[in-house]
Structure formats: C-alpha cells, structure tokens
C-alpha cells in the first residue's frame, strides 16, 4: 500500500496535533455534483451504481478531484446489509428505499443470517480495494455502516418512515424479538466493518440516522448498546495504524456524554449543539466531527466564511476537531460553494493549531 | 360564562395542587377519529373545515365526548395568519399546505400588514366563542398560534420544507429583512392570541414546530426572542383568572433552560428528553407538558399503561405536569387506545398528588 500523504483526518480523530483542521463532507460523493449525476445516469439506477465497484470507485473519487478534502468516504448505501440478507432492496423515485420482504414476525427474524462480507457483500469490499488503490495514499478512506437500530427501522417498516409505528410497536411489545434482530445486525455490521478495514478502510463511521427518534432510555437500550458492542468487536489496529471509529446519532445532541463512553474515538455532532458546549461535555475522551448547518451552503461566500470561522471558534484551539456538515450535503448546493468551504476551513483553522 | 368545572389543566400549568395529572393530546381533534373524518368529508376540504365556525366547533368537541380529557384545544391551523395576510393558502393531497404568493423579497415583506383578528380572522374568533359556549365550563379551552419563525418557514418556502434552504438563505444573508418579517409576525401573533383570549380561550400555546432546525444561536435570535416578545405582549389575566402560556419547540430539548426564561408558564417537551432531567434543569420556574412517544399508542394496553406509569414517575411528585404526547397523535391510532391512555393517566397519577 502507498504511504499516506495526508493523515490530518486520522490524527485529528485521535486528538494528535495537526497543522490545519481536516474537512470532509457527509454525502460528498452525491447528487450536487454534475459528474456524479452523469455516472448515475450511465448506471441506470442507484443499485447498479452501488453494486458496481468501478462505478462506486469513480464517484467516490470525484469530489477529491474538485476539492482539497482530507478524506474519501466509500460511496455505498447503509442498506447493503439487509439487502445481502435477502430482503429484496429496491429504490422508488421520490419514495426512497423499499424492501420486498420486510421483517415483521419471529419467523422473519429467525430466518436472518449474517452475510459473509467477502461473498454476499464482495462488491463492497472490491470497491474498497479499488478506491484504496486509486487513492494511492492521497487521503485516508473512511468505511461505514448503518447502526443496528437504524437498519432495523428500514427492515421492519419495509422502507423509510416518518412515524416508525411498526418498528416501535415491535420494540415496545416484543422487546426480546427486537433484541434478537438487533443482535443479528450487530454481528453483521461488525463483520462488515472489519472486512472493510481488511480491504483497506482506514477509519470507520457508524451512522445512527434514526437513534434520535427514541426516548433517552430506549436510545441507550436499543441503539447505543449495540453500537458499543460493535465498537468493542472492531479491528482497531491495521497496517500498523489505529483505525479510528466515529459514532453519529442524528438529533443525538442530548446524549453526547453517553455516546462518548461507547469506546469510539469521535462523535458526529449536528448543528443543534454548539461545539463549545459539546467539547465541555465530552471532555478529552473523544474528538468531535461537524457541525455546520448544510443550508449554510446556500449563503453568500462572505457569510459562509464567517460561519466557518464561528464553527472553528466554537471548537477552539487544539486538535480533536474534524470539520464537516451536521448532516449530508443537500442535492441542490452549488459545488463552487463547497470549494469555498473547504478552502476556508484550511485557511481559517491554522491559527487554532499554532502554539 | 359558565363556571369552570374542571380546572386541573389551569392549576397544573400554574404549579398549583391538583388531584390528578391533567391530560390532553396534541391534535386530539383529528384524523384518528372516524367522526372527524366524517365531518372533514362533509366539509369537502380542510380549509372549509377550519374556516366554518360550526364545523371547527364540532370537531373541537368530538374528542371530549369520547375521552375524559382535561382540556379542549381549538381546531384550527397555524397558517391562518399568513393566509389572512393574503398569501393564498391552499392544501394539496399528500404535499400539505402551499402558498400561491410566497414571501421572498424585501417588497414582499414590506407589503405584509397585520391582520385584524376580528375582521380577517373573525371566523377563528367566532369558533372560539362558539366552543366556549358549547363547552359550558366542562373543561378549559386552549387557544394557539404558530411561532413567528415557524410561520416564516412556510411563508418563505411557499409551503412545507425538508431543507429550509430558502428561509435559511434569507436568515443568513438578509438578517435585517428576516427580522422585519419576524417582527410583523410577532405583532400579528400577539394580536391574534389576545383576541382568542378576549373571545374565550383560557390558556395559550405557541407551536414552534421548526425552531429545532436551527443552530443554538439562530434559535435564540430568530425564534426564541420573538416568542419572548409575544409572551410579554399577551393578556395574562382574563375573567379574573391567570391565562397560562405554553411554549413548545419540537426538538428543543437542548434549550429548555433558555425557553424557561421566556416568561411562559409551561414548556412542551418531546420524548427525547426525560422529564426528570427536564424538571431538574428548569427548576420551579415552569410546568412541563408531555411527553409520551406518540407511537406508544401502537403498543398493547399493558405496555401502554406501563409507559404512562414511567412518564408520570419521571416527572415525579407534585403539581406542574400536564400529560400529553411529545408530538401530535398519529392519524392511524386506534381511538380505543386513547381511552386507555386518558383513563390510565388519571388513575395512575393520583398517588403523585397525595400528601
């Protein structure tokens, strides 16, 4: 493997000194880029794009050609695992992902098996290997997965949801069944992330997109607990380097202390929490990743730079901050704004890292 | 006016002793009730239902005939004010409310005038008067309005939104214009709520549905500040009684302390915050309203009662708690579950109010 030329991300995630705050963007390979839309068009559908390593690799690398980003993140989908479990993933226009065979009964849960990452999910590992080779050490590659709770919401509801009525009814009335489902997913996610590390991923992120729809107690019992178990089961050293793990619960700002105790290296933070407060609450235990409002990319360059200054200032001096948006980039953002943002983060962050 | 026979709600909102914890439900007059759907069908469309006092009164009273609720809340819509400002409100199937004339420019903002509640919004005041008469003192009537920020999101976006790109771009780049818009809305909401009190509303609630999409700073400057000004401008004594004011910011759990300092009497709390923690954070300054997960109404009766016990226990002993869901009731809930819930709140809460 080529030597890593830019290790700002890995260093910041481990709270080691850096020269500038590293920056990457959730969904940086995505619809806001015309070159992404062209490849997506060529692929015909989203699933083909995800499951063809050459295409997934191409769109993973696209944002790095435009912007001085400090990390690549594998282009993939959090629903690859339930798909590999045989639930029949498909995508509808406007309605998002759906499953032909949702998980609703004890029999459905008992029938689930843990996919072999190098068999059923081989296309993902091939994409990781290809991206690593193509990156040639330019920046580190982040691998990722959805949290067990988040995957369970899609699997039980049969797709996206607003109310989460079915999955919550299962959680409320059949907690043992829900725990069985989450335990299978925990095992599957752990194997999947470890395989990504073996294939070349240099940092990992767990996306708990829907942990924030739970009560504090249910969050701990049905989401955080399984993320903790995953973190404990992950390969944390590879290629002679620590593999940092980032945990992100959207709308989880109230639970940062609990999340920080999970054994992860960093927490994703959305823009409803001030980084100054977040840092005070989690102390020196973890790094923080975030947290600009994605809609700030609709503002003028001047206002955008001002806000980047505020976000950097809210974290303050020293390492332990990875700049990012507080959620995925919106599809209608002008890519020129992203260039302004990435350059401003590097430029404006230097004083925070000088002695 | 008839004497008030059940004053639990008003007493609990003012932290005065009660025999049982009062309970009402956000959107208690709504689609989950077959008798509501019948009136809605007869009315033809949602706007006619809102703007015909007899129909609005009828659906307001429907849930009280079924359940031992401790309050009525006027059936209406938060967008009556922008509609009265001439923005051309209409409702589309599946997409929700839209405006034919959104507010996008300085000229649009400058053209806005404060509606006279007894002229352009007379149908709302007539509904309040009618409901008060029909209630005959059975329970108090809650009046309500949307917060200025929440109304502004619909007015600028031209309807509902997921990203809030347009309204945030205005806030980021044209903060003075945004403040002008919010100031007009503050004046309109204040006049509207005071007119509701004059017409017979006995408690008031401000719904800040979209304050939770802001950063902590923007929330204070663009949402909370205007709610505070409204609270200061409200009639707080009427018919010889205090008129309590409830503030509810959805996803505002991180900002309860700031909200408690607004001068309101109570805070609505969603289910992502534990009431024990919330009470510890706000001290004796305000009452708390909430906060059961609305999806709990999909659980078994046994589990539902258990959860109601947990919510009551999380608040603990003494007055100052109004039981409610943490958000509006889901349209697919079985009304029988609501009966179980309302009865359980009364039954299970008694020990918390005994000396």
């Amino acid at each position: 493997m080529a030597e890593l030329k830019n290790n700002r991300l890995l260093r910041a995630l481990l709270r080691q000194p850096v020269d500038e705050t590293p920056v990457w963007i959730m969904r940086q390979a995505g619809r806001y880029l015309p070159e992404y839309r062209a490849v997506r068009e060529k692929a015909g559908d989203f699933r083909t794009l995800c499951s063809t390593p050459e295409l997934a690799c191409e769109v993973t690398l696209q944002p790095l050609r435009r912007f001085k980003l400090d990390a690549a993140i594998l282009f993939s989908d959090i629903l690859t695992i339930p798909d590999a479990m045989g639930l029949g993933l498909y995508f509808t226009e406007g309605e998002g992902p759906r499953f032909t065979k949702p998980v609703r009964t004890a029999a459905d849960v008992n029938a689930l098996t843990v996919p072999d990452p190098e068999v059923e999910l081989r296309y993902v590992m091939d994409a990781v290997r290809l991206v690593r080779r193509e990156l040639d050490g330019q920046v580190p590659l982040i691998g990722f997965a959805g949290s067990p709770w988040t995957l369970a919401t899609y699997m039980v509801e049969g797709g996206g949801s607003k109310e989460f009525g079915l999955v919550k009814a299962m959680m409320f009335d059949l907690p043992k069944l829900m725990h069985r489902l989450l335990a299978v997913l925990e095992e599957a996610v752990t194997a999947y992330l470890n395989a990504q590390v073996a294939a070349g991923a240099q940092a990992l992120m767990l996306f708990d997109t829907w942990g924030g729809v739970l009560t504090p107690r249910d969050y701990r019992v049905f989401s955080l607990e399984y993320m903790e178990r995953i973190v404990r089961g992950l390969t944390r050293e590879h290629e002679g380097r620590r593999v940092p793990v980032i945990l992100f619960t959207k709308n989880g700002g109230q639970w940062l202390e609990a999340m920080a105790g999970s054994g992860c290296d960093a927490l994703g933070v959305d823009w409803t929490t001030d980084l100054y407060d977040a840092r005070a609450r989690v102390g020196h235990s973890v790094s923080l990743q975030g947290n600009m409002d994605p809609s700030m990319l609709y503002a003028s360059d001047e206002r955008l730079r001002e806000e980047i200054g505020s976000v950097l200032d809210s974290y303050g001096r020293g390492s332990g901050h990875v700049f990012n948006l507080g959620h995925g980039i919106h599809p209608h953002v002008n890519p020129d704004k992203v260039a302004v943002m990435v350059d401003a983060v590097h430029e404006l962050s230097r004083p925070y890292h000088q002695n």
Side-chain angles (χ1 to χ4, degrees), chain A residues 26-345:
Chain A
M26 288 192 274
R27 294 208 196 121
Q28 63 189 25
R31 275 203 283 154
Y32 74 104
L33 290 176
E35 58 267 35
Y36 169 90
R37 296 196 297 270
V39 175
R40 167 82 170 70
E41 183 80 12
K42 201 176 74 176
D45 62 79
F46 183 77
R47 279 205 69 182
T48 305
L49 183 53
C50 285
S51 60
T52 310
E54 293 71 23
L55 298 179
C57 175
E58 167 59 18
V59 298
T60 298
L61 298 175
Q62 283 174 345
L64 297 163
R65 296 187 194 121
R66 273 184 183 255
F67 316 118
K68 291 181 188 138
L69 294 160
D70 295 292
I73 180 160
L74 179 69
F75 178 82
S76 188
D77 191 83
I78 60 167
L79 299 181
T80 50
I81 287 178
D83 184 43
M85 286 173 158
L87 270 59
L89 177 67
Y90 65 102
F91 289 86
T92 58
E93 278 307 315
E95 279 190 87
R98 308 287 312 163
F99 288 113
T100 54
K101 287 182 273 182
V103 174
R104 303 265 165 87
T105 65
D108 294 340
V109 172
N110 294 338
L112 295 174
T113 55
V114 174
D116 182 332
E118 284 291 357
V119 180
E120 291 95 334
L121 291 159
R122 167 107 195 205
Y123 65 92
V124 177
M125 304 311 143
D126 285 344
V128 171
R129 284 183 278 264
L130 197 54
V131 171
R132 252 316 277 283
R133 196 159 61 232
E134 293 291 318
L135 274 174
D136 196 33
Q138 185 190 340
V139 292
L141 173 63
I142 304 169
F144 73 92
S147 73
W149 164 254
T150 294
L151 297 181
T153 66
Y154 290 97
M155 292 166 75
V156 177
E157 298 289 340
S161 178
K162 277 185 173 182
E163 299 183 358
F164 301 97
L166 293 169
V167 69
K168 285 187 175 178
M170 186 190 282
M171 176 179 77
F172 294 144
D173 275 328
L174 304 167
K176 283 183 187 168
L177 184 62
M178 178 56 72
H179 281 300
R180 277 221 299 283
L181 171 54
L182 294 168
V184 177
L185 289 168
E186 172 211 325
E187 204 184 323
V189 169
T190 306
Y192 183 61
L193 290 175
N194 281 339
Q196 290 186 44
V197 171
Q202 292 147 299
L204 295 172
M205 182 155 171
L206 261 175
F207 284 90
D208 187 32
T209 314
W210 299 119
V213 304
L214 295 170
T215 63
R217 181 192 163 275
D218 289 339
Y219 173 70
R220 286 193 304 273
V221 173
F222 294 98
S223 186
L224 184 58
E225 169 67 21
Y226 289 91
M227 294 197 283
E228 282 187 30
R229 292 187 200 181
I230 289 167
V231 171
R232 283 201 294 270
L234 291 177
T235 309
R236 301 299 280 276
E237 293 282 333
H238 192 69
E239 305 175 47
R241 222 190 269 109
R242 171 99 172 159
V243 182
V245 180
I246 311 158
L247 226 65
F248 178 51
T249 294
K250 190 165 177 261
N251 289 324
Q254 297 183 93
W255 308 324
L256 296 179
E257 294 89 340
M259 294 169 72
S262 67
C264 68
D265 299 284
L267 298 181
V269 181
D270 69 34
W271 63 96
T272 63
T273 305
D274 190 274
L275 288 184
Y276 178 88
D277 297 327
R279 193 177 182 180
R281 285 165 57 196
V282 300
H284 298 292
S285 57
V286 290
S287 292
L288 298 175
Q289 176 174 283
N291 69 344
M292 194 172 77
D293 183 342
S295 291
M296 192 51 77
L297 293 169
Y298 295 127
S300 64
D301 290 2
E302 191 188 355
R303 181 69 184 85
L304 173 59
R305 283 176 56 92
E306 178 188 295
E307 185 72 11
I308 289 161
S310 292
V311 172
L312 292 168
D313 194 57
S314 67
Y315 186 82
R317 291 185 58 81
S319 186
H321 180 209
V322 174
F323 194 98
N324 206 317
L325 303 178
H327 191 46
I329 187 168
H330 295 160
H332 301 295
V333 161
N334 179 343
D336 294 346
K337 290 290 175 186
V338 176
V340 170
M341 178 184 108
V342 171
D343 291 345
V345 171

